[in-house]
Amino acid sequence: MDRYAVIGNPVVHSKSPLIHARFAELTGQTLTYTRLELPLGGFLAGVDAARRDGLRGANVTVPFKFDAFACATQRSARAELAQACNTLRFDTDGATQTVYGDNTDGVGLVNDITRNAGVPLRGARVLLLGAGGASAGVLGPLLAQAPAELVVANRSLDKAQALVARHAAHAQDHGVRLGAVALDAVGSAFDVVVNGTAASLAGAGVPVPARVLRPGTLAVDMMYGPAARPFADWALAHAAVPRDGLGMLVEQAAVSFALWRGVEPPAARVLAELRSALA
Ligand code: NDP
Protein backbone atom coordinates (compact mmCIF):
# COMPACT_ATOMS: atom_id res chain seq x y z
CA MET A 1 0.00 0.00 0.00
CA ASP A 2 1.33 3.50 -0.83
CA ARG A 3 2.59 5.27 2.26
CA TYR A 4 2.46 8.97 3.17
CA ALA A 5 3.14 10.84 6.41
CA VAL A 6 3.17 14.20 8.11
CA ILE A 7 6.66 14.93 9.41
CA GLY A 8 7.27 17.38 12.25
CA ASN A 9 8.32 17.83 15.86
CA PRO A 10 5.97 17.71 17.66
CA VAL A 11 3.42 16.12 15.37
CA VAL A 12 1.11 14.31 17.76
CA HIS A 13 -1.55 17.07 17.48
CA SER A 14 -1.66 16.98 13.66
CA LYS A 15 -5.08 16.57 12.03
CA SER A 16 -3.49 15.67 8.67
CA PRO A 17 -3.87 11.86 9.06
CA LEU A 18 -7.60 12.34 9.64
CA ILE A 19 -7.98 14.64 6.65
CA HIS A 20 -5.98 12.46 4.23
CA ALA A 21 -7.70 9.26 5.34
CA ARG A 22 -11.04 10.87 4.53
CA PHE A 23 -9.76 12.19 1.18
CA ALA A 24 -8.59 8.67 0.31
CA GLU A 25 -11.93 7.17 1.32
CA LEU A 26 -13.94 9.69 -0.71
CA THR A 27 -11.78 9.36 -3.84
CA GLY A 28 -11.33 5.56 -3.67
CA GLN A 29 -7.55 5.79 -3.26
CA THR A 30 -5.72 3.05 -1.39
CA LEU A 31 -3.03 4.49 0.87
CA THR A 32 -1.87 4.89 4.45
CA TYR A 33 -1.04 8.25 6.06
CA THR A 34 0.66 8.40 9.45
CA ARG A 35 2.52 10.82 11.75
CA LEU A 36 6.32 10.76 11.73
CA GLU A 37 8.04 12.69 14.50
CA LEU A 38 11.75 13.19 13.78
CA PRO A 39 14.37 14.46 16.21
CA LEU A 40 15.60 18.05 15.79
CA GLY A 41 18.56 17.89 13.43
CA GLY A 42 17.43 14.47 12.21
CA PHE A 43 15.28 15.42 9.23
CA LEU A 44 17.47 14.18 6.37
CA ALA A 45 18.38 10.87 8.01
CA GLY A 46 14.76 10.27 9.01
CA VAL A 47 13.43 11.02 5.53
CA ASP A 48 16.06 8.78 3.91
CA ALA A 49 15.10 5.88 6.17
CA ALA A 50 11.37 6.39 5.62
CA ARG A 51 11.90 6.60 1.88
CA ARG A 52 13.87 3.33 1.86
CA ASP A 53 10.87 1.95 3.75
CA GLY A 54 8.57 2.93 0.88
CA LEU A 55 7.36 6.43 1.80
CA ARG A 56 5.91 8.02 -1.39
CA GLY A 57 5.32 11.53 -0.12
CA ALA A 58 5.09 13.70 2.97
CA ASN A 59 3.62 16.84 4.42
CA VAL A 60 6.18 18.74 6.43
CA THR A 61 5.40 20.99 9.37
CA VAL A 62 7.23 22.98 12.06
CA PRO A 63 10.23 23.10 12.34
CA PHE A 64 11.30 21.23 9.20
CA LYS A 65 9.90 23.26 6.27
CA PHE A 66 13.31 24.76 5.53
CA ASP A 67 15.04 21.34 5.73
CA ALA A 68 12.40 20.05 3.32
CA PHE A 69 13.20 22.90 0.92
CA ALA A 70 16.91 22.08 1.13
CA CYS A 71 16.40 18.36 0.48
CA ALA A 72 14.19 18.84 -2.63
CA THR A 73 15.98 18.23 -5.95
CA GLN A 74 13.17 19.91 -7.93
CA ARG A 75 10.86 22.63 -6.63
CA SER A 76 7.70 24.46 -7.67
CA ALA A 77 7.94 28.20 -8.36
CA ARG A 78 5.86 28.93 -5.24
CA ALA A 79 8.23 26.86 -3.09
CA GLU A 80 11.18 28.81 -4.54
CA LEU A 81 9.49 32.09 -3.57
CA ALA A 82 8.65 30.83 -0.08
CA GLN A 83 12.07 29.17 0.36
CA ALA A 84 10.18 26.53 2.35
CA CYS A 85 8.36 23.30 1.46
CA ASN A 86 5.36 21.77 3.21
CA THR A 87 4.95 18.97 0.65
CA LEU A 88 7.43 16.44 -0.72
CA ARG A 89 6.87 13.80 -3.38
CA PHE A 90 9.43 11.03 -3.82
CA ASP A 91 9.67 9.93 -7.45
CA THR A 92 11.64 7.00 -8.88
CA ASP A 93 12.28 6.63 -12.59
CA GLY A 94 14.52 3.62 -13.15
CA ALA A 95 17.74 4.39 -11.28
CA THR A 96 16.90 8.10 -10.96
CA GLN A 97 15.36 9.29 -7.73
CA THR A 98 14.00 12.81 -7.37
CA VAL A 99 12.44 14.71 -4.51
CA TYR A 100 9.83 17.20 -5.70
CA GLY A 101 9.18 19.99 -3.21
CA ASP A 102 6.10 22.21 -3.17
CA ASN A 103 4.49 24.69 -0.81
CA THR A 104 0.70 24.37 -0.73
CA ASP A 105 0.06 26.62 2.32
CA GLY A 106 -0.54 29.73 0.21
CA VAL A 107 -2.82 28.19 -2.36
CA GLY A 108 -4.67 26.55 0.55
CA LEU A 109 -5.24 29.94 2.18
CA VAL A 110 -6.28 31.54 -1.12
CA ASN A 111 -8.75 28.72 -1.86
CA ASP A 112 -10.23 29.03 1.61
CA ILE A 113 -10.68 32.80 1.31
CA THR A 114 -11.99 32.90 -2.26
CA ARG A 115 -13.96 29.62 -2.46
CA ASN A 116 -15.03 28.75 1.08
CA ALA A 117 -15.43 32.27 2.49
CA GLY A 118 -16.45 33.64 -0.92
CA VAL A 119 -14.31 36.79 -0.61
CA PRO A 120 -12.48 37.95 -3.75
CA LEU A 121 -8.87 39.04 -3.36
CA ARG A 122 -8.56 40.74 -6.73
CA GLY A 123 -8.44 44.51 -6.20
CA ALA A 124 -8.65 44.13 -2.39
CA ARG A 125 -6.49 45.83 0.25
CA VAL A 126 -4.83 43.01 2.20
CA LEU A 127 -2.87 43.10 5.46
CA LEU A 128 -0.60 40.14 6.25
CA LEU A 129 0.62 39.97 9.86
CA GLY A 130 3.89 38.11 10.44
CA ALA A 131 7.00 37.37 8.41
CA GLY A 132 7.83 33.84 9.57
CA GLY A 133 7.53 30.55 7.70
CA ALA A 134 3.75 30.68 7.37
CA SER A 135 3.71 34.21 5.95
CA ALA A 136 6.57 33.36 3.58
CA GLY A 137 4.49 30.44 2.30
CA VAL A 138 1.36 32.50 1.59
CA LEU A 139 2.72 35.79 0.26
CA GLY A 140 3.41 34.62 -3.32
CA PRO A 141 -0.03 33.02 -3.88
CA LEU A 142 -1.77 36.05 -2.27
CA LEU A 143 0.07 38.38 -4.69
CA ALA A 144 -0.90 36.15 -7.63
CA GLN A 145 -4.55 37.00 -6.88
CA ALA A 146 -3.75 40.61 -7.86
CA PRO A 147 -4.97 42.52 -4.80
CA ALA A 148 -4.64 46.31 -5.17
CA GLU A 149 -2.35 46.53 -2.16
CA LEU A 150 -0.64 44.08 0.18
CA VAL A 151 1.01 45.26 3.39
CA VAL A 152 3.22 42.91 5.43
CA ALA A 153 3.44 43.96 9.09
CA ASN A 154 5.77 42.26 11.53
CA ARG A 155 7.16 42.73 15.03
CA SER A 156 10.69 42.62 13.57
CA LEU A 157 10.46 45.09 10.70
CA ASP A 158 13.68 43.85 9.05
CA LYS A 159 12.13 40.41 8.46
CA ALA A 160 9.05 41.94 6.82
CA GLN A 161 11.29 44.10 4.63
CA ALA A 162 13.37 41.08 3.55
CA LEU A 163 10.24 39.09 2.68
CA VAL A 164 8.83 42.00 0.68
CA ALA A 165 12.14 42.55 -1.15
CA ARG A 166 12.18 38.88 -2.22
CA HIS A 167 8.65 39.22 -3.63
CA ALA A 168 9.06 42.65 -5.29
CA ALA A 169 9.26 41.36 -8.87
CA HIS A 170 6.33 38.96 -8.32
CA ALA A 171 4.24 41.86 -6.95
CA GLN A 172 5.13 44.01 -9.94
CA ASP A 173 4.15 41.19 -12.34
CA HIS A 174 0.68 41.18 -10.77
CA GLY A 175 0.36 44.96 -10.44
CA VAL A 176 0.27 44.91 -6.62
CA ARG A 177 1.45 47.75 -4.35
CA LEU A 178 3.56 45.80 -1.82
CA GLY A 179 5.03 47.25 1.35
CA ALA A 180 6.45 46.38 4.77
CA VAL A 181 5.66 48.17 8.05
CA ALA A 182 6.09 47.70 11.79
CA LEU A 183 3.03 46.44 13.69
CA ASP A 184 2.32 49.84 15.29
CA ALA A 185 2.58 51.66 11.95
CA VAL A 186 -0.14 49.79 10.05
CA GLY A 187 -2.79 51.67 8.08
CA SER A 188 -6.54 51.28 8.50
CA ALA A 189 -9.70 49.68 7.09
CA PHE A 190 -8.28 46.71 5.16
CA ASP A 191 -10.64 44.41 3.22
CA VAL A 192 -8.82 41.26 4.35
CA VAL A 193 -6.53 40.81 7.39
CA VAL A 194 -4.54 37.56 7.69
CA ASN A 195 -2.88 36.78 11.01
CA GLY A 196 0.17 34.66 10.18
CA THR A 197 1.96 35.43 13.45
CA ALA A 198 2.38 32.94 16.27
CA ALA A 199 0.66 35.43 18.65
CA SER A 200 -2.54 33.35 19.01
CA LEU A 201 -0.48 30.20 19.57
CA ALA A 202 1.48 32.01 22.31
CA GLY A 203 -1.71 33.42 23.88
CA ALA A 204 -0.25 36.88 23.32
CA GLY A 205 -3.40 38.59 22.02
CA VAL A 206 -3.95 40.48 18.80
CA PRO A 207 -0.76 42.24 17.71
CA VAL A 208 -2.32 45.22 15.84
CA PRO A 209 -4.74 48.07 16.65
CA ALA A 210 -8.42 47.66 15.70
CA ARG A 211 -8.19 50.43 13.11
CA VAL A 212 -6.96 47.78 10.61
CA LEU A 213 -10.57 46.52 10.52
CA ARG A 214 -13.71 48.05 9.04
CA PRO A 215 -17.23 46.57 9.23
CA GLY A 216 -17.18 43.44 7.07
CA THR A 217 -13.39 42.97 6.90
CA LEU A 218 -12.54 39.28 6.56
CA ALA A 219 -10.21 38.59 9.51
CA VAL A 220 -8.42 35.25 9.07
CA ASP A 221 -6.28 33.70 11.79
CA MET A 222 -4.07 30.84 10.60
CA MET A 223 -4.58 29.36 14.06
CA TYR A 224 -7.59 27.15 14.80
CA GLY A 225 -9.17 25.58 17.88
CA PRO A 226 -9.54 27.36 21.25
CA ALA A 227 -6.34 29.40 20.76
CA ALA A 228 -7.97 31.16 17.79
CA ARG A 229 -10.93 32.39 19.91
CA PRO A 230 -9.45 35.72 21.17
CA PHE A 231 -8.65 36.84 17.59
CA ALA A 232 -12.17 35.86 16.44
CA ASP A 233 -13.75 37.71 19.41
CA TRP A 234 -11.67 40.81 18.61
CA ALA A 235 -12.84 40.69 14.98
CA LEU A 236 -16.50 40.25 15.98
CA ALA A 237 -16.26 43.11 18.49
CA HIS A 238 -15.30 45.41 15.59
CA ALA A 239 -17.98 44.13 13.18
CA ALA A 240 -15.46 42.19 11.09
CA VAL A 241 -16.01 38.61 9.85
CA PRO A 242 -13.73 36.12 11.65
CA ARG A 243 -12.34 32.97 10.07
CA ASP A 244 -9.97 30.45 11.62
CA GLY A 245 -7.18 28.42 9.95
CA LEU A 246 -9.04 25.13 9.65
CA GLY A 247 -10.10 25.84 6.07
CA MET A 248 -6.52 26.67 5.10
CA LEU A 249 -5.38 23.42 6.70
CA VAL A 250 -7.85 21.28 4.75
CA GLU A 251 -7.32 23.18 1.48
CA GLN A 252 -3.50 22.91 1.62
CA ALA A 253 -3.92 19.18 2.30
CA ALA A 254 -6.18 18.88 -0.75
CA VAL A 255 -3.53 20.40 -3.03
CA SER A 256 -0.88 18.04 -1.59
CA PHE A 257 -3.19 15.06 -2.09
CA ALA A 258 -3.79 16.02 -5.74
CA LEU A 259 -0.05 16.39 -6.29
CA TRP A 260 0.58 12.86 -5.00
CA ARG A 261 -2.45 11.04 -6.38
CA GLY A 262 -3.54 13.06 -9.45
CA VAL A 263 -7.07 13.24 -8.02
CA GLU A 264 -8.75 16.32 -6.53
CA PRO A 265 -10.46 15.46 -3.22
CA PRO A 266 -13.71 17.17 -2.05
CA ALA A 267 -12.07 19.64 0.34
CA ALA A 268 -15.21 21.65 1.21
CA ARG A 269 -17.04 18.49 2.25
CA VAL A 270 -14.16 17.30 4.45
CA LEU A 271 -13.85 20.78 6.00
CA ALA A 272 -17.56 20.73 6.92
CA GLU A 273 -17.18 17.25 8.44
CA LEU A 274 -14.09 18.27 10.41
CA ARG A 275 -15.81 21.41 11.72
CA SER A 276 -18.79 19.48 13.01
CA ALA A 277 -16.54 16.76 14.51
CA LEU A 278 -14.55 19.40 16.39
CA ALA A 279 -17.59 21.46 17.46
P1 NDP B 1 7.39 31.27 12.79
O1 NDP B 1 7.98 30.94 14.12
O2 NDP B 1 8.17 31.00 11.55
O3 NDP B 1 7.04 32.85 12.75
C1 NDP B 1 6.36 33.45 13.81
C2 NDP B 1 5.89 34.85 13.40
O4 NDP B 1 5.04 35.35 14.43
C3 NDP B 1 7.02 35.87 13.25
O5 NDP B 1 6.67 36.80 12.27
C4 NDP B 1 7.06 36.51 14.65
O6 NDP B 1 7.59 37.82 14.66
C5 NDP B 1 5.59 36.56 14.97
N1 NDP B 1 5.28 36.57 16.39
C6 NDP B 1 5.53 35.59 17.30
N2 NDP B 1 5.04 35.94 18.51
C7 NDP B 1 4.46 37.16 18.35
C8 NDP B 1 3.80 38.05 19.24
N3 NDP B 1 3.62 37.75 20.53
N4 NDP B 1 3.34 39.22 18.74
C9 NDP B 1 3.52 39.54 17.44
N5 NDP B 1 4.15 38.75 16.55
C10 NDP B 1 4.61 37.56 17.01
O7 NDP B 1 5.96 30.54 12.77
P2 NDP B 1 5.11 30.15 11.48
O8 NDP B 1 5.15 31.32 10.55
O9 NDP B 1 5.52 28.83 10.98
O10 NDP B 1 3.62 29.95 12.09
C11 NDP B 1 2.81 31.06 12.46
C12 NDP B 1 1.40 30.56 12.81
O11 NDP B 1 0.71 30.06 11.68
C13 NDP B 1 1.39 29.44 13.85
O12 NDP B 1 0.38 29.73 14.80
C14 NDP B 1 1.01 28.21 13.04
O13 NDP B 1 0.33 27.26 13.82
C15 NDP B 1 0.11 28.80 11.97
N6 NDP B 1 0.04 27.99 10.72
C16 NDP B 1 -1.18 27.50 10.31
C17 NDP B 1 -1.31 26.75 9.14
C18 NDP B 1 -2.65 26.24 8.72
O14 NDP B 1 -2.73 25.41 7.79
N7 NDP B 1 -3.74 26.68 9.30
C19 NDP B 1 -0.13 26.47 8.29
C20 NDP B 1 1.10 27.06 8.79
C21 NDP B 1 1.16 27.78 9.97
P3 NDP B 1 9.20 38.08 14.72
O15 NDP B 1 9.69 37.93 13.30
O16 NDP B 1 9.32 39.46 15.23
O17 NDP B 1 9.76 37.04 15.65
Side-chain angles (χ1 to χ4, degrees):
M1 203 184 288
D2 289 344
R3 290 186 49 216
Y4 299 86
V6 54
I7 301 175
N9 186 332
V11 82
V12 66
H13 61 280
S14 175
K15 307 241 175 298
S16 294
L18 210 76
I19 295 168
H20 284 279
R22 190 67 182 128
F23 284 167
E25 196 176 359
L26 290 170
T27 56
Q29 297 283 305
T30 307
L31 55 87
T32 66
Y33 188 109
T34 53
R35 297 181 179 85
L36 177 57
E37 182 165 311
L38 293 178
L40 301 179
F43 181 78
L44 270 186
V47 165
D48 274 351
R51 194 176 176 181
R52 279 197 302 276
D53 237 21
L55 195 72
R56 297 284 305 274
N59 284 129
V60 181
T61 186
V62 178
F64 296 127
K65 290 184 185 182
F66 303 107
D67 300 86
F69 179 78
C71 96
T73 55
Q74 289 176 6
R75 303 179 190 114
S76 65
R78 56 195 179 205
E80 290 286 359
L81 262 179
Q83 295 187 1
C85 290
N86 77 334
T87 305
L88 296 176
R89 190 184 65 205
F90 306 118
D91 297 326
T92 305
D93 183 8
T96 312
Q97 296 200 325
T98 52
V99 180
Y100 183 75
D102 198 357
N103 192 316
T104 66
D105 281 338
V107 68
L109 175 69
V110 164
N111 288 348
D112 187 53
I113 291 174
T114 58
R115 291 186 197 166
N116 300 336
V119 173
L121 286 163
R122 189 176 185 82
R125 291 184 62 237
V126 179
L127 174 63
L128 175 62
L129 305 175
S135 293
V138 303
L139 183 54
L142 283 174
L143 290 170
Q145 293 295 302
E149 179 183 12
L150 202 156
V151 175
V152 180
N154 193 44
R155 190 173 57 180
S156 313
L157 178 58
D158 58 328
K159 286 195 203 163
Q161 287 168 331
L163 191 60
V164 160
R166 200 163 84 225
H167 286 74
H170 190 55
Q172 204 170 16
D173 287 348
H174 293 282
V176 188
R177 228 168 30 251
L178 175 64
V181 298
L183 288 173
D184 58 2
V186 284
S188 58
F190 288 89
D191 301 311
V192 177
V193 173
V194 176
N195 184 15
T197 73
S200 294
L201 186 66
V206 178
V208 276
R211 66 169 181 267
V212 301
L213 303 175
R214 57 156 175 77
T217 295
L218 181 71
V220 185
D221 195 348
M222 289 195 199
M223 198 68 224
Y224 52 85
R229 199 63 248 170
F231 183 88
D233 288 343
W234 169 79
L236 281 171
H238 296 93
V241 179
R243 190 161 184 87
D244 68 10
L246 207 57
M248 173 182 173
L249 180 76
V250 174
E251 292 288 349
Q252 61 79 27
V255 181
S256 300
F257 189 90
L259 180 78
W260 295 325
R261 309 301 298 181
V263 182
E264 209 170 303
R269 176 172 169 182
V270 174
L271 174 58
E273 290 175 0
L274 192 59
R275 274 205 195 289
S276 61
L278 295 177

